[in-house]
Amino acid sequence: MEVNMYILLVIVGSAIVTFIPRVVPLVLLSRIQIPEWGINWLKHIPIAVMAALLAQELLLSNNQFSISDNLLSLLAALPTFLVAIFSRSLLGTVLVGVISLMILRFLF
């Protein structure tokens, strides 16, 4: 089997590019003591990122704000958000979201 040097370099380069942003913060943050307010602030980052991703998916259509184009997705998001808030179960949230959207697309 012949190894193409270009493909090998792309794979190694991709591994390095994905490895550095994950390891460098871990190494740096493990050596310093983060104050309590910093820890509390960092706990909100995953929620903010998820909210930004969901807002973009639910409210934008062809890079323009449009609720009418995404009405089914918005309607399916309501029970999904409720399950996420009350159950805190990722599996339950995903199942409710998929089933809700499936039912709404079947009906409309």
Side-chain angles (χ1 to χ4, degrees):
M1 182 171 87
E2 182 182 339
V3 176
N4 188 338
M5 189 56 78
Y6 176 74
I7 297 201
L8 181 65
L9 287 175
V10 168
I11 292 172
V12 171
S14 299
I16 291 170
V17 166
T18 58
F19 182 75
I20 289 174
R22 294 169 193 227
V23 172
V24 171
L26 183 65
V27 170
L28 292 176
L29 291 175
S30 68
R31 297 175 190 257
I32 61 173
Q33 182 68 25
I34 301 173
E36 188 66 30
W37 62 266
I39 297 289
N40 289 334
W41 183 78
L42 287 172
K43 288 180 183 177
H44 297 290
I45 290 177
I47 297 167
V49 169
M50 184 58 76
L53 291 172
L54 286 173
Q56 179 180 3
E57 183 66 28
L58 292 175
L59 301 175
L60 290 180
S61 178
N62 298 326
N63 291 328
Q64 292 187 359
F65 180 75
S66 174
I67 291 180
S68 61
D69 290 343
N70 300 329
L71 189 58
L72 289 180
S73 297
L74 286 171
L75 290 175
L78 294 175
T80 306
F81 286 141
L82 291 174
V83 169
I85 289 169
F86 291 117
S87 74
R88 304 239 184 232
S89 166
L90 179 61
L91 178 62
T93 303
V94 170
L95 286 176
V96 168
V98 169
I99 291 170
S100 298
L101 194 55
M102 183 180 67
I103 290 170
L104 287 170
R105 284 187 178 170
F106 179 73
L107 293 175
F108 300 105

